[in-house]
Amino acid sequence: DIYIKKIMAFHHSPRIVSNGLIFCMDPANVKGYVSGSTTGTDLIQDASYTLVNAVDYQSNNGGVWNFGGTDDYINVVNPTVGFPDSDNPRSLCAWVYNTNTSTRQAVFGYGNNSAGQAFDLIVGTAHAGTQNNIACHVWSSGFETTTDTFTANEWHYCVITYAGGSANSTNLKLYIDAVDSGYQLNFGSAVTLNTTSNNARLGMRAQGSYTDLDFLGQLGPIHMYNRVLTPAEVLQNYNAMKVRFE
């Protein structure tokens, strides 16, 4: 399996879960990105991406991308297999360093600006939410952690898993640093998702003309799975990479 072979070839994340991994961006891995370049490819499907405006590479923590908080983002061409769409299961994982958690900021997302058609990882202070949390926004609804443990100026491993059926507290889980960090509905309802596999972007919301929620800080690896990671697998990924982000 070509996916497994590429995962085994990773220099910086050799022990992460590979089963179901369909998309991976890592600024530290020269197989997909070379320092100083404005373009790169994901490590699974060779989907291309472009650094826009002032996004730049920094060498700390093995290699990260730095976002200035104003119109900086990375635009991703839809991979061949596509991101998990409709109501299909998925897991989105990201290493995030945010320098201002008092505002709502987009880490990674894709889809359209219609009810249930987006899938976005939001950090800081979610819409109608509280500071120092992470959230999943699906355009018409938002779901947030309750632990207030997403603190500024620290690296955190942020994970959303969705099992399908509806975005309730059973099917949608939010993890901060491998800990199930609660669930609360910020706005809308526990809708059944109908995500579209397009408009992928890091550091800024991507849906339609609503290109805002600019991210301020640094991002490390981004992983997308086409299935739900178990709590043990979330912990495995966290332990595999936490030394790099301590």
Side-chain angles (χ1 to χ4, degrees), residues 148-167:
D148 302 339
T149 52
F150 182 82
T151 46
N153 301 308
E154 294 183 281
W155 281 101
H156 296 286
Y157 184 55
C158 304
V159 177
I160 304 169
T161 67
Y162 177 65
S166 70

Side-chain angles (χ1 to χ4, degrees), residues 67-84:
F67 296 75
T70 304
D71 297 331
D72 297 343
Y73 63 95
I74 299 178
N75 197 58
V76 182
V77 174
N78 195 38
T80 303
V81 172
F83 296 107

Side-chain angles (χ1 to χ4, degrees), residues 42-59:
D42 101 278
L43 295 162
I44 308 300
Q45 302 184 56
D46 295 325
S48 63
Y49 57 83
T50 303
L51 281 61
V52 180
N53 295 325
V55 180
D56 67 329
Y57 171 88
Q58 299 290 322
S59 61

